[in-house]
């Protein structure tokens, strides 16, 4: 009887199929994208869970996490790089004029993902995955030492922010660079593996591959970054001169021609803001009296005040928000990050929050990513397009809300400083410039050009360190405390070079975007001075933000930028913001020697 029913069903299906109109090319493309998305999401979640475990519970000598990551990522690679998916995607893209543009965007994403894992070089892909995982375990499982005693990266950062003893600073800086020795050969291997995998699908090199996500080629990306540096260079030159003289006086040393790396309050010299104290209040002191949980809850409250939903309860249950307890038998990734585990509702943060101003800003920044995830996890945004309009948008939103949370009216509203307190506005601007302006030559210059040379020019391993410091001198006016030979690999101590490769220009572009967004909000929604805003509780700001966030990657990023701010990508809003500071620094630096060239 059952066989008979099945037979009838089969006949019915044949009859039905005989009457059905054949699917159009657009419908077939849509069906392909939907089927791909279902499998992709499942594999993505498995990979995310494996990566999460490997980043939050690192036990030296334990290969359990490494094996899990290898298996999950190989499964993802096998699917995304399969010959079937590549050929289907290429076929539908050849018929793009007959297919819905939103579906075409998804299929372009499918082919882009395939280029990192093509099945034609499966052994190379498998080896690259293994090496990336091994490199991360070395980087995040490394034991930092000072004078034979263990220290954390938070300890090192604290010394570089606050210590005035030059020898103590030097030891902390040297400690932060020791991991590079162990990462150098791995970086060389990864360079070759990454280039080889993407070349299998026609890309020139891994840098070109990553840049293509912006719908541009590598030379256009390099030009954009060089233009950003040129635009802010006069102000950076004044900041460089100012700090050389200020730090020489602080440490009781002769004024140097270049800034010694161990004099600076950041391991890579990318942020000098801790060298400036703002008269009128000490945010670090105020926050030191708070519980670490208070910081993350306060950041959530900010977003809720703008009209966004509260974080899901799973966020607090599943995130890793605080430092590893003293004496624990494991370590964790020490770099703050936000995770969209399943491309739906499972959102998490990996942080090591301690109550200070840096982590206060960081919590607001990371929740910017989380609320971006939540905003575009809606039915109108396909799984494959649940990302920022471009990669820089994600960072721009987080950084902008971090900036907003640090401005005086906002801090007053939060009860972190007394209302109407006299604050030195020039010092505030100087402190901000030591973050935002100083970051541009590092991100757009040092990091972007190093990775361009690494992948596009196939920089040989015996020139890694020399090239790194040549770029540091050129773009930042920073030099090492002594000649650093090729036994070191100081570039590899920057986490992104290992596990977020060839994408650091994202951050440079994000700073230009953040000031464009912030200027628009300040002038057109809040009607406030961009340097003295209070976003808190303004639902119109939230509505405008949601208009950008909720569309994910379904629209062209250039079009979205012009529609939302009225102008294309530009450093001008950043220069407008810091214009009063330029006049102040020129006056202070009168008579001082500028050692950076007038133009770059």
């Amino acid at each position: 009887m059952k066989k008979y029913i099945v037979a009838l069903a089969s006949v019915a299906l044949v009859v039905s199929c005989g009457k059905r109109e054949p699917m159009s090319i657009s419908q077939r493309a849509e069906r392909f994208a939907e089927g791909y998305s279902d499998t992709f999401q499942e594999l993505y979640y498995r990979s995310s869970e494996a990566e999460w475990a490997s980043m939050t519970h690192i036990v030296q000598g334990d290969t359990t996490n490494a094996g899990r990551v290898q298996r999950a990522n190989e499964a993802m690679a096998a699917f995304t790089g399969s010959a079937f998916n590549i050929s289907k995607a290429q076929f539908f893209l050849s018929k793009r004029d007959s297919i819905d543009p939103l579906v075409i965007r998804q299929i372009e994403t499918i082919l882009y993902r395939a280029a990192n894992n093509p099945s034609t070089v499966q052994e190379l892909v498998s080896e690259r995955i293994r090496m990336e995982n091994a490199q991360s375990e070395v980087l995040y499982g490394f034991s930092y030492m000072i004078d034979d005693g263990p220290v954390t990266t938070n300890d090192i950062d604290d010394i570089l922010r606050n210590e005035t003893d030059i020898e103590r600073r030097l030891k902390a800086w040297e400690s932060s660079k020791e991991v590079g020795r162990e990462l150098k050969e791995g970086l060389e291997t990864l360079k070759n593996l990454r280039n080889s995998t993407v070349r299998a699908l026609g890309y020139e090199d891994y840098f070109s591959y990553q840049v293509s996500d912006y719908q541009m080629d590598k030379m256009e990306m390099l030009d954009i970054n060089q233009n950003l540096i040129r635009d802010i260079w006069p102000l950076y030159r004044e900041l460089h001169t100012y700090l050389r003289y200020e730090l020489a006086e602080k440490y009781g040393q002769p004024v140097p021609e270049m800034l010694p790396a161990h004099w600076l309050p950041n391991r890579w010299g990318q942020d000098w803001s801790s060298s400036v104290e703002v008269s009128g209040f000490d945010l670090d002191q105020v926050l030191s009296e708070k519980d670490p949980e208070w910081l993350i809850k306060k950041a959530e409250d900010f977003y809720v005040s703008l009209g966004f939903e509260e974080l899901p309860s799973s966020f607090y249950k599943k995130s890793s928000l605080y430092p590893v307890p003293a004496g624990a038998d494991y370590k964790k990734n020490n770099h703050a990050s936000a995770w969209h585990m399943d491309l739906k509702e499972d959102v998490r943060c990996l942080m090591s929050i301690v109550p200070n101003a840096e982590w206060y800003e960081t919590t607001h920044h990371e929740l910017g990513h989380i609320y971006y995830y939540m905003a575009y996890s809606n039915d109108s945004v396909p799984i494959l397009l649940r990302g920022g309009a471009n990669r820089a948008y994600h960072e721009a939103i987080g950084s902008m809300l971090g900036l907003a949370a640090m401005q005086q009216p906002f801090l007053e509203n939060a009860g972190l400083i007394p209302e109407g307190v006299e604050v030195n506005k020039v010092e505030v601007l100087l402190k901000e410039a030591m973050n935002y302006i100083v970051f541009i030559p590092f991100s757009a210059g040092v990091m972007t050009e190093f990775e361009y040379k690494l992948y596009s020019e196939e920089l040989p391993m015996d020139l890694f360190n020399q090239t790194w410091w040549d770029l540091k001198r050129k773009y930042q006016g920073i030099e090492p405390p002594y000649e650093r030979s090729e036994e070191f690999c100081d570039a590899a101590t920057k986490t992104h070079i290992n596990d977020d490769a060839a994408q650091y220009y994202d951050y440079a572009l994000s700073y230009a975007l953040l000031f464009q967004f912030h200027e628009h909000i300040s002038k057109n929604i809040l009607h406030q001075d961009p340097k003295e805003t209070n976003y808190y509780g303004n639902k119109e700001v939230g509505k405008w933000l949601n208009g950008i966030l909720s569309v994910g990657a379904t629209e062209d990023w250039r079009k979205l930028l012009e529609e939302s701010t009225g102008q294309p990508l530009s450093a001008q809003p950043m220069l407008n913001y810091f214009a009063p500071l330029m006049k102040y620094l020129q006056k202070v630096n009168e008579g001082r020697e500028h050692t950076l060239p007038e133009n770059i």
Side-chain angles (χ1 to χ4, degrees):
M1 183 65 178
K2 289 181 181 177
K3 289 183 180 179
Y4 179 71
I5 293 174
V6 170
L8 283 178
S10 299
V11 171
L13 180 60
V14 170
V15 172
S16 175
C17 288
K19 294 181 179 179
R20 184 182 301 161
E21 290 291 327
M23 285 193 293
S24 68
I25 190 72
S26 185
Q27 290 171 322
R28 287 164 57 196
E30 185 174 358
R31 181 75 59 86
F32 168 65
E34 288 174 352
Y36 178 100
S37 297
D38 290 343
T39 304
F40 175 79
Q41 184 181 16
E42 180 182 344
L43 293 172
Y44 185 92
Y45 203 6
R46 290 181 194 171
S47 175
S48 297
E49 288 285 16
E51 295 276 6
W52 177 262
S54 75
M55 293 292 103
T56 57
H57 199 93
I58 302 169
V59 178
Q60 191 169 9
D62 185 349
T63 61
T64 305
N65 281 336
R68 186 181 297 120
V69 170
Q70 183 81 11
R71 290 189 296 275
N73 287 353
E74 283 189 351
M76 172 65 85
F79 172 71
T80 56
S82 74
F84 174 81
N85 285 328
I86 290 172
S87 63
K88 280 288 186 181
Q90 290 173 331
F91 169 75
F92 287 124
L93 289 179
S94 72
K95 308 289 184 183
R96 64 171 63 240
D97 291 344
S98 303
I99 298 172
D100 183 273
L102 190 62
V103 176
I104 286 294
R105 278 188 169 273
Q106 295 173 71
I107 293 175
E108 287 174 337
T109 300
I110 290 170
L111 196 59
Y112 176 78
R113 290 185 179 277
N116 203 31
N117 306 302
S119 60
T120 53
V121 288
Q122 187 173 347
E123 289 185 6
L124 287 177
V125 171
S126 180
E127 180 62 11
R128 191 206 71 228
I129 291 169
R130 187 192 69 79
M131 275 302 305
E132 285 175 336
N133 186 49
Q135 191 84 336
S136 292
E137 290 204 338
V138 171
L139 177 61
Y140 297 117
F142 187 75
S143 296
Y144 296 89
M145 307 286 288
I146 297 179
D147 291 335
D148 298 323
V151 292
T152 67
T153 51
N154 271 346
D155 295 331
I156 291 171
D157 291 343
D158 188 59
I159 291 170
L160 294 178
R161 279 194 299 266
N162 302 308
E163 182 62 65
T164 57
D165 183 283
I166 288 292
E167 292 305 314
R168 179 71 171 161
R169 297 186 64 84
L170 178 58
K171 288 179 179 180
W173 185 87
E174 288 175 322
S175 176
S176 77
K177 297 294 175 276
E178 281 300 299
V179 67
R181 296 175 188 258
E182 299 189 23
L183 294 167
K184 188 168 191 173
E185 289 189 9
L187 181 59
E188 168 71 3
T189 302
L190 284 172
K191 173 192 75 176
N192 295 327
L193 289 169
R194 286 166 173 161
N195 273 346
S196 296
T197 52
V198 299
R199 281 171 179 159
L201 217 59
Y203 289 91
E204 289 182 43
D205 53 75
Y206 194 72
F207 187 86
S208 300
Y209 164 70
Q210 291 290 358
V211 167
S212 71
D213 198 34
Y214 282 82
Q215 298 83 50
M216 64 176 71
D217 64 34
K218 60 188 174 186
M219 300 316 296
E220 186 180 355
M221 179 61 79
L222 290 174
D223 285 345
I224 288 173
N225 280 269
Q226 287 295 309
N227 287 336
L228 287 177
I229 297 170
R230 280 193 287 269
D231 286 344
I232 61 88
W233 188 254
L235 179 52
Y236 181 81
R237 186 169 177 262
E238 295 295 335
L239 291 167
H240 182 269
T241 301
Y242 174 87
L243 198 62
R244 283 172 39 241
Y245 281 83
E246 292 297 312
L247 291 183
E249 182 179 351
K250 179 178 180 179
Y251 301 138
Q253 301 289 321
V255 178
E257 182 177 342
M258 295 281 173
L259 283 165
H262 65 300
W263 284 24
L264 296 168
N266 174 272
R267 282 175 269 164
W268 305 283
Q270 69 184 61
D271 179 357
W272 306 345
S273 59
S274 296
S275 63
V276 178
E277 293 185 8
V278 177
S279 306
F281 71 94
D282 184 347
L283 190 55
D284 278 324
Q285 177 59 42
V286 173
L287 291 170
S288 69
E289 301 170 3
K290 304 292 185 183
D291 185 89
E293 185 181 12
W294 182 91
L295 273 72
I296 190 71
K297 289 288 188 180
K298 196 69 175 175
E300 179 186 11
D301 175 62
F302 174 29
Y303 288 89
V304 171
S305 81
L306 298 178
F308 293 100
E309 297 178 3
E310 292 183 356
L311 293 169
S313 59
S314 61
F315 173 84
Y316 288 102
K317 292 176 183 176
K318 295 183 176 182
S319 290
S320 178
L321 299 174
Y322 311 111
V324 172
D329 61 355
Y330 69 95
K331 296 180 181 181
K332 62 185 266 191
N333 181 332
N334 48 55
H335 188 76
S337 54
W339 297 55
H340 199 186
M341 302 293 292
D342 62 348
L343 299 175
K344 290 175 68 178
E345 67 272 0
D346 189 344
V347 292
R348 306 178 196 177
C349 270
L350 172 55
M351 295 192 276
S352 294
I353 302 170
V354 293
N356 62 30
E358 184 175 350
W359 275 107
Y360 168 82
E361 183 176 4
T362 298
T363 55
H364 286 78
H365 176 108
E366 295 303 332
L367 286 197
H369 291 297
I370 295 296
Y371 276 98
Y372 208 155
Y373 299 150
M374 292 168 63
Y376 58 58
S377 294
N378 63 70
D379 291 340
S380 63
V381 179
I383 289 292
L384 296 177
L385 300 180
R386 292 186 181 178
N390 64 30
R391 294 194 305 258
Y393 268 66
H394 245 294
E395 293 301 326
I397 296 299
S399 296
M400 181 186 71
L401 292 159
L403 169 69
M406 296 293 284
Q407 293 197 321
Q408 184 176 350
F410 185 94
L411 292 171
E412 289 178 354
N413 184 79
L416 292 173
I417 62 174
E419 192 169 339
V421 66
E422 287 294 324
V423 175
N424 188 314
K425 290 181 171 53
V426 172
E427 289 176 347
V428 170
L429 212 52
L430 178 61
K431 190 176 184 71
E432 291 175 338
M434 291 289 190
N435 177 0
Y436 296 104
I437 296 296
V438 162
F439 183 71
I440 297 297
F442 175 74
S443 55
V446 177
M447 286 290 288
T448 295
E449 193 163 329
F450 181 83
E451 293 197 291
Y452 165 74
K453 290 178 180 293
L454 183 67
Y455 294 104
S456 295
E457 297 183 355
E458 299 194 79
L459 182 68
M461 186 169 64
D462 60 3
L463 291 178
F464 281 4
N465 226 40
Q466 178 187 320
T467 301
W468 177 254
W469 285 107
D470 286 348
L471 293 171
K472 296 280 284 183
R473 290 183 181 94
K474 175 183 177 180
Y475 287 111
Q476 293 184 281
I478 294 173
E479 64 181 4
Y482 47 81
E483 195 62 34
R484 302 280 288 177
S485 69
E486 290 300 331
E487 70 182 282
F488 302 107
C489 188
D490 297 327
T493 68
K494 185 62 182 170
T495 58
H496 301 74
I497 283 181
N498 301 282
D499 60 12
D500 198 20
Q503 301 176 57
Y504 210 78
Y505 43 81
D506 292 355
Y507 298 95
L509 300 186
S510 78
Y511 274 26
L513 287 169
L514 100 82
F515 279 96
Q516 280 189 236
F517 293 155
H518 180 66
E519 184 177 81
H520 178 84
I521 289 171
S522 304
K523 292 184 174 181
N524 298 296
I525 301 177
L526 296 174
H527 306 291
Q528 296 171 358
D529 182 340
K531 293 178 284 298
E532 297 185 70
T533 65
N534 180 16
Y535 287 22
Y536 189 90
N538 193 299
K539 299 295 192 295
E540 285 302 307
V541 171
K543 181 179 178 181
W544 183 86
L545 273 175
N546 193 60
I548 293 175
L549 308 187
S550 62
V551 299
T554 61
E555 294 188 14
D556 179 84
W557 69 269
R558 296 174 181 86
K559 176 173 174 283
L560 184 63
L561 179 62
E562 292 205 38
E563 287 179 349
S564 58
T565 68
Q567 59 180 322
L569 183 70
S570 168
Q572 192 57 50
M574 185 187 298
L575 297 176
N576 295 342
Y577 188 94
F578 289 108
L581 181 64
M582 185 65 174
K583 296 178 183 178
Y584 168 79
L585 287 173
Q586 287 173 330
K587 184 175 181 181
V588 171
N589 287 335
E590 214 171 293
R592 292 175 170 177
E593 181 187 9
H594 292 69
T595 53
L596 293 182
E598 288 189 22
N599 300 296
I600 191 168

